[in-house]
Amino acid sequence: MNDLVKKIKDAIDYYDFFSRFLKLKKVGSTYMSICPFHPDSQPSLSVDIKNGLWYCFGCNRGGDIFNFIMELESCNFIDSLKYISELLGIEFNENNEIIKRQDVSTVNHEVYSLLSKFYHNVLKKSSVSINAREYLLGRKISMDIVEKYELGYSPKNVENLKIFCQKKGINFELLEKAGILYRKGRDYVDILAGRLIIPIFGPNSKIIGFAGRSIDNSEPKYINTIGLVKNSTLYGIQIAKNYIKSTSTVIIVEGYFDVWGMYLSGYKNVVSIMGTTLSDKQVEIIKKYANEVIILLDTDKSGLSATLNLVIQLVSNGLKVKIGMIENYKDPHEVYFNEPDKIKIVMNNLITDLDFMISFYLNQSDVYEKQKILEKYVVPFLSSIKGKVVKDEYISKFCSETFISKKYLLKMLSKKVTFRNDSEEEIIKKYGMDVYILVFAFVNFDIFKKNHQYFDSFLFEGKELSRNLYKYLIECVKSGVYPSDYILHENKLSEVLKIVAKINLELDEDQKENFLQRLLDNLRKKNLIEELKNLIVKGDYEKAKEIQEKLKRIGK
């Protein structure tokens, strides 16, 4: 993995990379853009072209190029590696070896269609798929859904797939490149083996890849084929689009099972966004067929947050929005599974976007939370309403039902308000000052290299993570190589990286060096104060005086 990350960092042009997704405008030493991750009327996403870092001051997302793709595609770090490798013309096999692109054409729709038929027939007819059929029946998914959505099953033994491919003239190397097969010794293994196969169709009703769902509680729950860009389509669109056209309304849900549950409940104008965010492409598809959207996402914390963001995004795109309120269950499929008739009750009692915002605001228990919701969701929502008359009506109703001063709300609407819930202090509290400093050193390795002699090793001996990070950085200095971002992602430090990216974009080079020195001084003080406390408890006042003198000298 380290080799692949290095290959990517050596080959990439950060300006070209970010320009693929953002309209960059140079402001001082950085570049600014409208943020694709939240409704944004003024550029709030800042990009550091030199270091390949980004941070949005509106929604508090940020990090490096891998975090960017992880946010954009709702994928994990490994998938972001695959995505960026594909952009740069390199990719890696399942053994993590970098391989050159060969003269083999990419998997086309016809090949995907043939594979889908194979998987589909196995699920319907083969004895090896009994467990998969029982799994679906156990979740009340009928064979009608299997037929309609062309679900399949990949047998654990790859021989049947090999025979099928040979008969159809499908090149195995092609399937290996597509990430459907990978080599294990001299043989091939199907990456989707033993999984329920869910074909993903593009807006043109052609298959663009597969999702494989675990049926035995093994992890990961889902595996996607390489090259599947989920946010380029809506799951179920090939079936739903005619129903959406006829009603001008689309129901959006989070997962595949939610789509099937809604379809079986009689609602055929339903699609899944395959996650909790909508891309611009997905919004385009929705606007092509509908002018009204019904949101039925999961009712957990992330689902509610996603619903709030989707309301803002969809309203800002001129769409009418209603929300289905699911009670006592997590998602639409769970409702269908336990009380099928309750789906109709939910759909007959939809609430408006404004009523949803009012209800969510009033349900907050304390003043601080209410202010947070007001700034983070309500103000962007009201700002996105099209038409002065409608906007005034919405503002008046919101103030009337929440007892907020209209004058105060209008003042908030007149200026850009951001609520930052990820402070530097919170990150330091969660991960430790030592880890925070080392991540900053990763990102600003030239500064670390210049000043590494001031990074006393004893400052980073507190826990295994900081010891390993410190040792790795020193090894990079000695060997003359730059550290690999893979180490940060492997150790699940994306949260820290995000805040470091934000700080980095606010400082020039001299300020960064001074900032790092202040961090080191604070860490030294923290360690010395702990030592001082222990010495006083032990009654060793002589040594305690020495520590006090050291404390006085720090920062001078």
Side-chain angles (χ1 to χ4, degrees), residues 206-220:
K206 293 182 178 178
I207 297 173
I208 60 172
F210 299 106
R213 210 292 182 191
S214 163
I215 61 171
D216 57 5
N217 295 320
S218 60
E219 293 292 337

Side-chain angles (χ1 to χ4, degrees), residues 335-479:
V335 178
Y336 162 75
F337 183 85
N338 290 284
E339 294 184 70
D341 293 340
K342 202 168 184 178
I343 290 284
K344 285 185 172 59
I345 296 172
V346 171
M347 294 300 292
N348 288 335
N349 290 278
L350 301 172
I351 65 170
T352 67
D353 46 13
L354 177 59
D355 287 335
F356 178 72
M357 284 286 172
I358 291 169
S359 172
F360 191 77
Y361 174 82
L362 292 174
N363 282 336
Q364 305 311 308
S365 56
D366 61 57
V367 175
Y368 173 79
E369 281 301 316
K370 284 185 174 179
Q371 183 65 20
K372 176 179 171 181
I373 297 304
L374 196 65
E375 294 177 354
K376 192 172 183 181
Y377 299 115
V378 176
V379 168
F381 165 67
L382 293 173
S383 298
S384 68
I385 302 296
K386 310 290 183 186
K388 187 178 184 304
V389 174
V390 177
K391 183 179 287 189
D392 286 346
E393 288 175 357
Y394 270 49
I395 291 169
S396 295
K397 182 175 179 180
F398 187 87
C399 292
S400 171
E401 298 200 16
T402 60
F403 306 105
I404 289 175
S405 159
K406 189 172 182 179
K407 184 178 178 181
Y408 174 69
L409 186 56
L410 288 171
K411 186 178 179 181
M412 290 184 72
L413 285 163
S414 69
K415 62 182 180 179
K416 185 180 178 184
V417 178
T418 59
F419 184 89
R420 296 186 185 148
N421 57 1
D422 282 331
S423 69
E424 183 187 6
E425 290 77 15
E426 287 170 343
I427 291 299
I428 290 171
K429 185 177 178 181
K430 182 175 179 179
Y431 292 90
M433 176 70 79
D434 50 354
V435 171
Y436 180 63
I437 289 172
L438 292 169
V439 174
F440 194 90
F442 255 83
V443 171
N444 299 282
F445 184 67
D446 287 332
I447 294 174
F448 174 78
K449 190 164 59 173
K450 177 182 171 185
N451 299 283
H452 70 275
Q453 67 271 22
Y454 302 118
F455 282 68
D456 302 313
S457 61
F458 70 84
L459 294 172
F460 307 100
E461 291 175 349
K463 48 184 176 282
E464 186 179 5
L465 175 58
S466 50
R467 285 197 301 273
N468 290 341
L469 290 176
Y470 173 77
K471 183 180 176 183
Y472 176 70
L473 283 170
I474 293 298
E475 287 173 354
C476 288
V477 171
K478 289 177 180 177
S479 57

Side-chain angles (χ1 to χ4, degrees), residues 475-487:
E475 287 173 354
C476 288
V477 171
K478 289 177 180 177
S479 57
V481 298
Y482 279 80
S484 167
D485 290 7
Y486 173 66
I487 303 298

Side-chain angles (χ1 to χ4, degrees), residues 41 114 116 187 225 333 359 378 403 482:
S41 56
L114 287 170
S116 183
D187 211 342
T225 50
H333 175 259
S359 172
V378 176
F403 306 105
Y482 279 80

Side-chain angles (χ1 to χ4, degrees), residues 75 87 89 105 201 211 227 238 316 397 407 498 543:
C75 65
L87 286 181
S105 61
F201 290 79
Q238 79 281 7
S316 67
K397 182 175 179 180
K407 184 178 178 181
K498 177 181 72 173
K543 282 189 178 180

Side-chain angles (χ1 to χ4, degrees), residues 257-282:
F257 281 84
D258 297 326
V259 170
W260 305 333
M262 291 298 292
Y263 186 94
L264 289 168
S265 299
Y267 298 93
K268 299 179 180 180
N269 56 330
V270 60
V271 295
S272 165
I273 59 178
M274 295 178 281
T276 56
T277 59
L278 274 172
S279 68
D280 290 342
K281 176 66 177 174
Q282 288 173 316

Side-chain angles (χ1 to χ4, degrees), residues 236-332:
I237 189 65
Q238 79 281 7
I239 292 165
K241 61 185 175 185
N242 289 332
Y243 297 106
I244 297 169
K245 278 182 190 176
S246 66
T247 59
S248 295
T249 301
V250 61
I251 303 167
I252 60 173
V253 295
E254 194 169 320
Y256 308 115
F257 281 84
D258 297 326
V259 170
W260 305 333
M262 291 298 292
Y263 186 94
L264 289 168
S265 299
Y267 298 93
K268 299 179 180 180
N269 56 330
V270 60
V271 295
S272 165
I273 59 178
M274 295 178 281
T276 56
T277 59
L278 274 172
S279 68
D280 290 342
K281 176 66 177 174
Q282 288 173 316
V283 173
E284 271 179 42
I285 298 168
I286 289 171
K287 289 174 75 173
K288 183 177 178 181
Y289 301 114
N291 55 37
E292 182 177 80
V293 181
I294 296 169
I295 302 174
L296 270 178
L297 295 195
D298 291 6
T299 57
D300 56 14
K301 188 177 179 181
S302 64
L304 283 172
S305 176
T307 299
L308 289 160
N309 284 320
L310 287 178
V311 167
I312 298 166
Q313 184 181 10
L314 292 166
V315 168
S316 67
N317 274 278
L319 291 156
K320 296 176 184 176
V321 180
K322 291 180 180 176
I323 297 93
M325 303 300 288
I326 297 171
E327 295 180 356
N328 303 322
Y329 297 106
K330 188 174 82 71
D331 54 41

